[in-house]
Amino acid sequence: MTGELQRALGRLPPGCWRTSRIHDETEAVRWFPVKSFAECGVKLGMSEAGQWLRDFGDTVTRIGPGKSAWAFFPLLELACPVFESRCENALTSLGLEQCAFPTTYLVSEALMSHSPRWGALAIKWVEFLEPTEHLVSSLDFFANDKANV
């Protein structure tokens, strides 16, 4: 975690922090709510280490390398610009502009999920993202995945 992020998190009101068990783990994490997307039923939060989470009420789950992104796929039901704008506004209001959601990771994981539904929704987001090597290889995988035919 950068010093800038650590300082920004330190400015959050003490009452905004929660502690929840991480889904399918015994570990608990301290986190705070960032944004709720009622139309797709996803509540996003961030851990005190700066990691993005989805809140399920009694547990949370993380997104990022080595973690399944399935729990975050419903975000793809939103239009990418709408999602990014609402996230950005929420982060700005919290003074956390430097904490962008891992959108490219989410889209790449959906493209490689063997799910025609999530893959098709992810395709709609691709044009708004930087073409990273991982994203390009995910697009290639999606194009050649027989589940999507």
Side-chain angles (χ1 to χ4, degrees):
M1 174 173 24
T2 67
E4 183 181 347
L5 175 57
Q6 196 170 24
R7 285 189 294 283
L9 292 174
R11 289 190 294 270
L12 293 174
C16 77
W17 291 95
R18 300 177 183 178
T19 300
S20 299
R21 186 178 61 78
I22 299 171
H23 182 74
D24 286 341
E25 297 181 27
T26 56
E27 178 186 349
V29 65
R30 189 168 176 249
W31 66 281
F32 62 94
V34 172
K35 183 69 181 164
S36 180
F37 296 91
E39 59 269 61
C40 64
V42 176
K43 297 177 187 175
L44 294 178
M46 185 177 292
S47 75
E48 62 186 345
Q51 188 171 35
W52 284 90
L53 308 166
R54 180 173 176 187
D55 175 18
F56 285 100
D58 56 341
T59 63
V60 295
T61 192
R62 300 179 274 197
I63 187 171
K67 305 291 178 196
S68 172
W70 278 89
F72 296 83
F73 287 175
L75 291 169
L76 297 168
E77 295 171 350
L78 304 168
C80 183
V82 170
F83 170 76
E84 289 191 327
S85 172
R86 289 170 62 190
C87 257
E88 185 178 312
N89 290 342
L91 291 168
T92 299
S93 72
L94 293 166
L96 298 170
E97 297 85 358
Q98 71 275 30
C99 298
F101 185 83
T103 306
T104 302
Y105 180 79
L106 171 67
V107 170
S108 294
E109 292 297 299
L111 289 169
M112 295 189 305
S113 69
H114 299 289
S115 167
R117 178 174 193 264
W118 297 125
L121 289 171
I123 284 289
K124 295 177 182 180
W125 286 44
V126 170
E127 70 180 280
F128 301 100
L129 305 174
E130 292 293 320
T132 65
E133 186 177 327
H134 184 59
L135 181 59
V136 171
S137 66
S138 299
L139 279 165
D140 186 50
F141 179 91
F142 181 76
N144 293 301
D145 185 5
K146 294 187 186 334
N148 299 315
V149 179

